[in-house]
């Protein structure tokens, strides 16, 4: 079931004052049928609010929400057919795992309500899907964080919802479990084929499992697309900064007659870019160590972390003084002495004022 | 480990000595008194040891009346006040504007002096030569005759006593329950709403179990408090409770010690021990029942 929101806006009135906070503003977004979509952004950018509006807990001030072709904006949550997993799981502590999973089914009324045996059968089937059959008689507090997470997913799925919504599903888990549960969510989504929207502020998490990502900032949608595409083609400085570890290196530079100047020196041909001051973002993998390269930095140190060799250098035009380049080998790093050539496809130019992307025709270096 | 243990006991010692001197010792003393037959206060002598005091108390019509009053009071006021407090707390936690104001108003009886409140109740309920009282005035609008709530039929007096007790214990219960309700994580309600849980089911399957420890606490303290009722009855019906037929067990104990017919510490002790046994039994039953319910 495709999820589509159009011009969604939500304002909150600040307590006692007449001012409003616009949590989500004019958001238009589509999660294709059967996709796993990541909603990404820094804390407070309106991700949870968006999710709450889609599941019906929060009423939008403007805009419509569609599931498939159906307008669900004015429907209450229970008839929308959504499954929701909360950040802290919200499992009922006094009920067993089985009772928790049964709970949504027991709410059904009339013809939709299955027989008791059918309910238990479906609960067990869902428990099997998330691999918690052995834990059905335990209570939530007797489970690990990862197990609680699975129970929460099972409870959300047992009613066979049309869409699954997850609010920061991994943020309460430790690093290892997070990696494992991430795969798990991916697998469950693949097996059920349910359209899933999940919220996170961890870009790596979103990049690794989503089919599509949407990056938000202060209630506004900044960019939407396939993860790799957004990474390779960021629409603005914010998105370029938000995606990628280690983060992109930002320089204040200038374009003059088709060349990018950093600290007064031309470092790259940028044909068709207009003259003027710019922000230049260079991905860590965009630096090629060359002893005769045009970008001359002072090498501070070479770090070897597992398979990655990174060079930490300083350059006067670099925004926070030091930059980090990922290079193929230590030998090359030391031979270059801190001089680089640049890969044009890893260099992005942004307007200095508005921070939006300035395109240029990339010639191979 | 051993050292730590000794240190812990050392720290507890002052409290234990005080408890022993002012709680355990008197309790044992009362127990001893209650078995000493024909105790003479002046000469501090007694005839023998046995169950005579208990037999006397259990046959005393005043005690039986007090027992009946107390039990009725407990059985009526504890469920009524708890249910009412729950209802009001639910109302309070579902409104936003003026909530603080309402909370303050509901809390007022708690900080008001018992006897002053009793006086107000007298004004409301008492029938004198000049006026039938405010409540009777209201009753007359519905066409029913005046009832003497303070000096009239038993059921009317019991009603006033129960009404008064509920009114006095309500604020504390509301306070406890509103904070219990506020401490339930809102995410449970959100999850319930997404799952389409009806309001009744949300209340019985989520809210009630979540606040049940507090309800158990209120019921147990409510039982104990109601069994120990005395000043409420005095505030309404004056000190000669036996004559008014509105005595309570604690009142009976007091009367046996200091009242007009007093001077019988042995009978008072026996009555006090009986009260202790009743409260103990009921508290144990309460605890067991609630534990089973929490598990089930
Ligand atoms: N009930 C509310 N009343 C007033 N303001 C709110 C309310 N809920 C959210 N906001 C505001 O709306 C904005 C977006 O909040 P939201 O919870 O959607 O952020 P988020 O992206 O989920 O952040 P996080 O990653 O920290 O969970 C924030 O500025 C927040 O202060
Ligand atoms: Mg959030």
């Amino acid at each position: 079931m495709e999820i589509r929101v159009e011009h969604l806006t939500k304002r909150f009135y600040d307590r006692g004052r007449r001012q409003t906070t616009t949590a989500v503003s004019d958001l238009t977004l589509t999660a294709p049928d059967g996709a796993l979509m990541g909603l990404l952004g820094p804390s407070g950018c309106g991700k949870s609010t968006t999710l709450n509006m889609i599941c019906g807990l929060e009423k939008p001030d403007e805009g419509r929400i569609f599931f498939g072709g159906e307008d669900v904006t004015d429907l209450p949550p229970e008839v929308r057919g959504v499954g929701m997993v909360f950040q802290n799981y919200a499992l009922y502590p006094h009920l067993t795992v089985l009772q928790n999973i049964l709970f949504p089914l027991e709410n059904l009324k009339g013809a939709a309500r299955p027989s008791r045996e059918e309910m238990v059968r479906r609960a067990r089937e869902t428990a099997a899907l998330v691999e918690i059959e052995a834990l059905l008689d335990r209570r939530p507090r007797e489970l690990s964080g990862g197990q609680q997470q699975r129970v929460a997913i099972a409870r959300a799925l047992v009613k066979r919802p049309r869409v699954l919504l997850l609010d920061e599903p991994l943020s309460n888990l430790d690093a290892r479990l997070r990696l494992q549960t991430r795969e798990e969510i991916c697998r469950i989504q693949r097996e059920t084929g349910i359209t899933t929207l999940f919220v996170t502020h961890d870009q790596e998490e979103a990049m690794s499992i989503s089919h599509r990502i949407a990056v938000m900032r202060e209630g506004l949608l900044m960019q939407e697309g396939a993860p790799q595409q957004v990474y390779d083609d960021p629409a603005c400085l914010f998105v370029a900064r938000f995606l990628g570890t280690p983060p992109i290196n930002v320089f204040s530079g200038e374009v003059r007659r088709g060349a990018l100047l950093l600290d007064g020196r031309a470092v790259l041909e940028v044909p068709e870019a207009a003259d003027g001051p710019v922000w230049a973002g260079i991905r860590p993998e965009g630096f090629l160590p060359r002893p005769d390269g045009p970008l001359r930095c002072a090498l501070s140190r070479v770090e070897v972390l597992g398979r990655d060799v990174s060079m930490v250098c300083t350059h006067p035009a670099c925004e926070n003084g030091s930059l980090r380049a990922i290079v193929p080998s230590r030998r090359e790093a030391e031979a270059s002495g801190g001089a680089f050539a640049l890969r044009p496809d890893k260099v992005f130019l942004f307007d200095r004022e508005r921070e939006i992307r300035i395109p240029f025709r990339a010639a191979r270096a | 480990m051993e050292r730590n243990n000794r240190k812990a006991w050392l720290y507890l010692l002052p409290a234990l000595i005080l408890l022993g001197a002012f709680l355990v010792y008197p309790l044992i003393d009362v127990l001893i008194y209650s078995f000493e037959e024909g105790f003479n206060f002046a000469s501090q002598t007694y005839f023998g040891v046995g169950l005579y005091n208990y037999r006397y108390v259990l046959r005393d019509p005043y005690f039986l009346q007090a027992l009946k009053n107390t039990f009725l009071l407990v059985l009526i006021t504890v469920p009524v006040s708890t249910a009412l407090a729950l209802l009001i707390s639910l109302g309070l936690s579902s409104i936003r504007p003026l909530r603080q104001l309402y909370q303050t108003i509901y809390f007022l009886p708690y900080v008001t002096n018992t006897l002053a409140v009793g006086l107000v109740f007298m004004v409301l309920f008492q029938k004198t030569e000049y006026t039938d009282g405010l409540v009777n005035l209201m009753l007359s609008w519905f066409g029913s005759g005046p009832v003497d709530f303070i000096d009239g039929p038993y059921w009317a007096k019991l009603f006033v006593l129960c009404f008064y007790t509920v009114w006095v214990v309500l604020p504390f219960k509301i306070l406890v329950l509103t904070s219990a309700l506020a401490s339930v994580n809102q995410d449970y309600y959100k999850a319930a709403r997404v799952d389409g849980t009806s309001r009744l089911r949300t209340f019985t399957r989520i809210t009630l179990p979540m606040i049940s420890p507090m309800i158990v606490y209120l019921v147990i303290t409510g039982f104990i408090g109601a069994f120990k009722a005395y000043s409420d009855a005095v505030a309404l019906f004056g000190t000669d409770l036996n004559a008014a037929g509105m005595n309570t067990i604690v009142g009976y104990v007091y009367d046996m010690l200091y009242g007009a017919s007093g001077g019988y510490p042995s009978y008072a002790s026996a009555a006090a021990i009986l009260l202790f046994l009743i409260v103990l039994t009921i508290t144990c039953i309460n605890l067991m029942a609630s534990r089973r319910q929490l598990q089930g």
Side-chain angles (χ1 to χ4, degrees):
Chain A
M1 187 73 54
E2 177 194 79
I3 309 171
R4 188 154 46 91
V5 303
E6 289 179 359
H7 307 292
L8 213 55
T9 299
K10 178 74 190 177
R11 299 181 201 91
F12 287 111
Y13 287 87
D14 291 349
R15 186 182 285 261
R17 270 178 271 145
R18 302 216 159 221
Q19 276 181 333
T20 56
T21 320
T22 307
V24 176
S25 129
D26 199 28
L27 182 78
T28 300
L29 194 69
T30 306
D33 185 21
L36 178 58
M37 181 152 184
L39 199 55
L40 183 62
S43 187
C45 72
K47 306 178 298 283
S48 299
T49 308
T50 306
L51 217 58
N52 286 343
M53 285 192 284
I54 292 174
C55 84
L57 285 172
E58 208 84 70
K59 228 182 132 44
D61 291 312
E62 282 157 38
R64 315 296 308 171
I65 302 162
F66 299 92
F67 287 177
E70 188 193 352
D71 185 344
V72 296
T73 318
D74 300 316
L75 296 181
E78 67 269 18
V79 294
R80 289 190 187 194
V82 291
M84 176 106 171
V85 175
F86 292 85
Q87 183 169 345
N88 59 2
Y89 316 139
L91 297 175
Y92 308 123
H94 52 283
L95 301 181
T96 64
V97 169
L98 182 64
Q99 287 169 329
N100 262 289
I101 301 176
L102 281 172
F103 199 89
L105 292 179
E106 288 165 350
N107 286 331
L108 295 173
K109 287 190 201 76
R113 187 186 173 92
S115 68
R116 188 76 203 168
E117 295 76 54
E118 172 67 10
M119 283 188 200
V120 174
R121 197 188 62 72
R122 269 170 66 176
R124 288 186 181 281
E125 185 184 293
T126 317
L129 175 72
V130 299
E131 295 173 353
I132 47 161
E133 303 106 305
L135 310 172
L136 288 176
D137 293 323
R138 298 216 201 153
R139 272 167 219 279
R141 65 166 172 277
E142 298 158 356
L143 302 179
S144 72
Q147 290 166 335
Q148 290 184 23
Q149 170 71 268
R150 289 164 191 236
V151 178
I153 295 177
R155 188 178 65 178
L157 286 176
V158 73
K159 259 169 81 172
R160 300 188 185 144
R162 299 192 280 180
V163 304
L164 178 63
L165 308 172
L166 305 134
D167 193 352
E168 311 236 0
L170 306 175
S171 62
N172 282 0
L173 306 177
D174 64 43
R176 259 179 57 118
L177 203 55
R178 199 178 287 199
L179 220 63
Q180 193 186 332
T181 313
R182 181 156 111 184
E183 300 305 318
E184 194 67 6
I185 291 179
C186 207
R187 176 185 67 81
I188 293 166
Q189 197 273 336
R190 201 168 346 103
E191 278 177 30
T192 54
I194 184 172
T195 311
T196 304
L197 191 59
F198 87 102
V199 158
T200 176
H201 55 247
D202 181 344
Q203 53 93 19
E204 206 183 321
E205 199 172 293
M207 299 273 289
S208 62
I209 61 171
S210 316
H211 303 136
R212 290 183 79 75
I213 57 171
V215 185
M216 287 180 72
R217 176 198 197 183
E218 290 171 10
L220 289 163
L221 177 70
M222 304 308 282
Q223 195 170 359
E224 183 199 349
Q228 197 58 44
Q229 181 218 331
V230 177
Y231 181 82
D232 287 336
D233 192 12
C236 62
L237 184 59
F238 175 81
V239 173
R241 277 200 180 157
F242 202 76
L243 300 183
T245 36
I248 198 164
N249 301 288
V250 180
F251 296 80
S252 61
E254 201 186 338
V255 173
R256 204 179 296 158
R257 268 165 290 151
L260 171 64
L261 273 61
L262 296 184
D263 196 28
R265 286 177 60 108
V267 296
L268 187 71
E269 298 286 303
V270 286
E272 293 175 19
D275 285 7
V278 292
W279 293 113
I282 307 174
R283 293 269 181 222
E285 66 273 24
F287 296 93
L288 304 167
R290 299 270 187 279
D292 57 345
L295 178 61
R296 303 199 164 269
C297 311
L299 178 61
S300 315
R301 62 181 187 277
V302 179
E303 283 177 9
V304 184
L305 260 177
R307 65 190 155 72
D308 281 342
V309 180
S310 56
M311 294 171 70
V312 181
C313 308
T314 56
H315 186 274
C318 188
E319 208 193 19
N320 35 24
S322 81
L323 62 98
R324 184 177 286 268
I326 297 207
V327 296
S329 73
R330 183 172 198 125
R331 194 176 42 76
E332 258 182 87
E334 277 156 2
S336 76
F340 300 99
L342 299 174
R343 284 175 60 181
D345 58 330
K346 295 291 179 184
V347 178
F348 311 115
L349 301 184
F350 303 96
D351 186 285
R352 182 71 70 83
E353 295 295 313
R354 294 180 299 153
E355 302 193 343
I356 55 169
R357 182 86 173 275
I358 305 171
F360 63 89
R361 187 163 52 83
R364 286 239 51 101
Chain B
M1 184 69 216
E2 181 64 18
R3 256 183 92 84
N4 267 341
N5 244 330
R6 215 173 297 158
K7 222 181 219 170
W9 281 110
L10 190 70
Y11 292 146
L12 286 172
L13 200 62
L16 285 177
I17 288 175
L18 284 176
L19 269 177
F22 293 103
L23 217 94
V24 180
Y25 170 70
L27 206 73
I28 293 172
D29 215 32
V30 166
L31 194 68
I32 293 171
Y33 267 134
S34 73
F35 286 109
E36 292 174 351
E37 290 173 1
F39 181 78
N40 187 316
F41 209 69
S43 61
Q44 299 277 323
T45 56
Y46 54 92
F47 306 141
V49 174
L51 290 173
Y52 173 77
N53 297 326
Y54 288 94
R55 223 172 295 137
Y56 175 85
V57 166
L58 284 172
R59 284 199 193 123
D60 186 351
Y62 283 144
F63 181 79
L64 295 179
Q65 181 67 46
L67 199 65
K68 179 182 161 195
N69 292 340
T70 308
F71 262 93
L72 282 175
L73 188 70
V74 167
L75 291 179
I76 294 169
T77 61
V78 173
V80 167
S81 65
T82 310
L84 213 57
L86 190 58
L87 218 66
I88 293 173
S89 310
L90 283 172
L92 274 177
S93 48
S94 65
I95 57 167
R96 297 244 144 247
L98 299 184
R99 179 159 156 193
Q100 306 281 326
L101 177 72
Y102 280 114
Q103 256 167 353
T104 312
I105 291 174
Y106 280 116
F107 202 62
L108 276 180
Y110 193 65
V111 291
T112 315
N113 183 291
T114 315
L115 295 176
V117 177
L119 220 67
V120 174
F121 266 69
M122 290 252 280
V123 173
L124 285 176
F125 284 100
Q126 196 167 36
K127 197 167 137 229
T128 62
E129 291 156 43
Y130 316 106
T131 166
D132 285 350
L134 214 59
V135 173
N136 273 321
L137 183 69
M138 283 195 276
L139 278 180
S140 69
W141 295 340
F142 298 101
S144 83
V147 177
D148 192 341
F149 285 98
I150 303 298
D151 222 0
Y154 179 68
W155 66 263
K157 288 191 283 194
L158 190 70
F159 170 79
V160 176
L161 186 61
C162 289
F163 192 100
Y164 177 87
T165 307
V166 168
W167 195 75
V168 167
V169 298
L170 211 49
F172 178 69
K173 298 195 172 185
I174 292 174
L175 186 78
V176 169
L177 289 178
T178 37
S179 58
L181 286 174
S183 68
V184 177
N185 190 334
Q186 288 300 312
D187 280 352
Y188 293 125
Y189 295 124
K190 286 193 196 161
R193 257 180 72 202
V194 174
D195 290 338
T197 319
S198 67
R199 293 184 67 157
L200 180 68
R201 204 168 125 85
T202 305
F203 176 71
T204 55
R205 293 296 302 274
I206 299 172
T207 311
L208 264 190
M210 295 273 181
I211 62 170
S212 68
M214 275 302 140
I215 293 183
V216 169
Y217 164 76
L218 286 182
V219 168
I220 290 177
T221 52
F223 267 115
I224 296 172
F227 269 114
K228 296 202 302 198
Y230 172 52
S231 59
D232 314 347
V234 172
L236 288 173
F237 307 109
T239 46
D240 197 356
L241 289 172
N242 277 338
M246 290 313 294
N247 214 347
T248 62
I249 301 179
V250 173
Y252 180 85
V253 172
Y254 182 87
D255 286 347
M256 273 298 170
L257 278 174
Y258 308 113
S261 57
Y264 300 101
S266 304
Y267 297 153
S269 301
I273 293 292
L274 285 173
L275 176 62
F276 174 73
L277 289 178
I278 293 169
V279 172
L280 190 70
T281 316
I282 291 198
T283 306
C284 287
I285 292 172
N286 256 328
L287 277 176
M288 276 184 324
S290 62
R291 198 157 300 160
R292 183 159 315 151
Q293 201 206 349
L294 282 183
Q295 278 163 2

